Amino acid sequence: MTTSPVEAASPTATRIIVTAEELTAELYDGRTISVPLAWYPRLTHATQQERENWRFIGIGQGIHWPDLDEDISIEGLIAGRKSGESQRSFKRWLEAKQAGLPLTIHEIRPATKEDH
């Protein structure tokens, strides 16, 4: 028996909704994926304004929150992958956030051409 290979395109999102309880992605193919916000501690500890300040990575293959230095792939959402950040890293990030310190390298040093 022969089988034909299936070419899987990277899943892309067309809309993102972030509430205090969940992250929802509406996908280009018509599916909707929702996951608990608790899977992503940086989003859980963000203000609603910070949660709403996001942009797509690529053509909807991921989501970036510049205020939180957080990136989540649509593929990861579909696969059910929770945040892979270590407790140590998250603790440092949360302490910096609570102290009002810069959370990203670009807040410490503005982005340059070499960063892109």
Side-chain angles (χ1 to χ4, degrees):
M1 177 168 98
T2 61
T3 59
S4 52
V6 175
E7 289 186 28
S10 294
T12 58
T14 58
R15 184 171 179 222
I16 301 298
I17 303 162
V18 188
T19 68
E21 289 82 33
E22 66 184 13
L23 169 61
T24 301
E26 293 180 3
L27 305 184
Y28 182 77
D29 64 10
R31 290 179 290 169
T32 300
I33 305 293
S34 293
V35 299
L37 204 65
W39 285 10
Y40 306 101
R42 290 188 184 202
L43 292 175
T44 301
H45 287 84
T47 65
Q48 189 59 34
Q49 183 178 0
E50 289 169 328
R51 288 183 196 121
E52 291 173 1
N53 183 26
W54 60 268
R55 67 173 177 81
F56 281 122
I57 298 170
I59 54 171
Q61 295 155 323
I63 317 154
H64 174 68
W65 285 266
D67 298 336
L68 305 171
D69 196 24
E70 178 75 283
D71 297 309
I72 300 172
S73 73
I74 300 305
E75 189 175 88
L77 288 177
I78 292 170
R81 285 194 292 264
K82 299 177 184 179
S83 172
E85 184 172 21
S86 72
Q87 286 293 328
R88 182 177 178 201
S89 172
F90 175 69
K91 182 180 177 194
R92 282 194 319 260
W93 177 88
L94 186 57
E95 288 170 352
K97 181 177 181 1
Q98 291 170 339
L101 298 172
L103 301 178
T104 70
I105 189 67
H106 296 298
E107 290 177 296
I108 298 167
R109 176 186 54 83
T112 64
K113 288 181 187 178
E114 290 79 32
D115 293 329
H116 297 284

